[in-house]
Amino acid sequence: MTIKSLLVGAISIGAIVGIAGCGGSSTSSTPTPTSSTGGLTLPTIPGLGTGSSGSAPAAGTLLSAADVQSISGDSSVAALAGACSATTCIYSDTTGSGGGGGVIFVQPFPGFVGQAALQAAVAAALSGQSASSGGTATAVAGLGSGAIKEIDANSATYAFVKDNYLVVINVTSGTKSGADMDSQVGAAAQTVAGSV
């Protein structure tokens, strides 16, 4: 799964949740970009405000560059300049030689958005992405509700809903397979689930 398709999946989840939470109102539920770095667009989801009560730690503290380096086996991975916010952080190999990278997306949703809508959005977005990328999306227990993972040839992605937060974690590698990274990304997802 590429960073672009991961962000498209996150936007799809937001659009589905926006429609489900608002009852299909006539206002646009299409996410709008907030910043762009190196051709990557960081999504926000309009109409959902700042999310549930309380706040999660910043995305970059939940999954650090050191975490992505360790999981991907690429010591040149760093956070892209301008690509980290409270809800998203994008990591990439700064030398371009190792092929490692990662994304963490932690989007808070207000309490009126039902857990069932969030679960359905996670399942639909990742299932669609896995079908187009050749990966397999499977349910995961113990991360929250609606947890699912997709393991591709060179990436591992976990997505789940916990206490009105949608969390998506993706790590790619140029030297490790998605299957090799599966347990480490799963462990990172467990840590994040315990922190939101």
Side-chain angles (χ1 to χ4, degrees):
M1 177 177 280
T2 65
I3 290 173
K4 182 178 177 182
S5 64
L6 177 69
L7 291 177
V8 168
I11 290 169
S12 299
I13 292 169
I16 292 168
V17 169
I19 292 168
C22 297
S25 71
S26 62
T27 61
S28 172
S29 63
T30 304
T32 56
T34 57
S35 64
S36 181
T37 302
L40 299 173
T41 302
L42 304 180
T44 60
I45 301 170
L48 294 180
T50 57
S52 60
S53 63
S55 62
T61 64
L62 293 170
L63 182 73
S64 69
D67 296 330
V68 177
Q69 289 172 353
S70 175
I71 295 168
S72 70
D74 185 347
S75 61
S76 297
V77 168
L80 293 177
C84 288
S85 68
T87 60
T88 306
C89 199
I90 300 173
Y91 303 97
S92 185
D93 182 326
T94 56
T95 65
S97 62
V103 174
I104 181 167
F105 179 80
V106 182
Q107 178 67 52
F109 290 95
F112 72 82
V113 177
Q115 290 290 319
L118 289 170
Q119 291 170 16
V122 168
L126 283 182
S127 293
Q129 291 300 319
S130 69
S132 67
S133 66
T136 55
T138 57
V140 178
L143 285 178
S145 52
I148 192 169
K149 69 178 179 178
E150 178 188 339
I151 307 303
D152 292 333
N154 66 343
S155 72
T157 305
Y158 278 70
F160 59 93
V161 176
K162 173 102 187 299
D163 297 335
N164 287 346
Y165 286 93
L166 167 65
V167 179
V168 180
I169 299 171
N170 168 264
V171 178
T172 61
S173 177
T175 58
K176 290 182 172 182
S177 71
D180 291 340
M181 296 184 293
D182 183 8
S183 64
Q184 291 176 295
V185 176
Q190 287 287 345
T191 300
V192 171
S195 299
V196 295

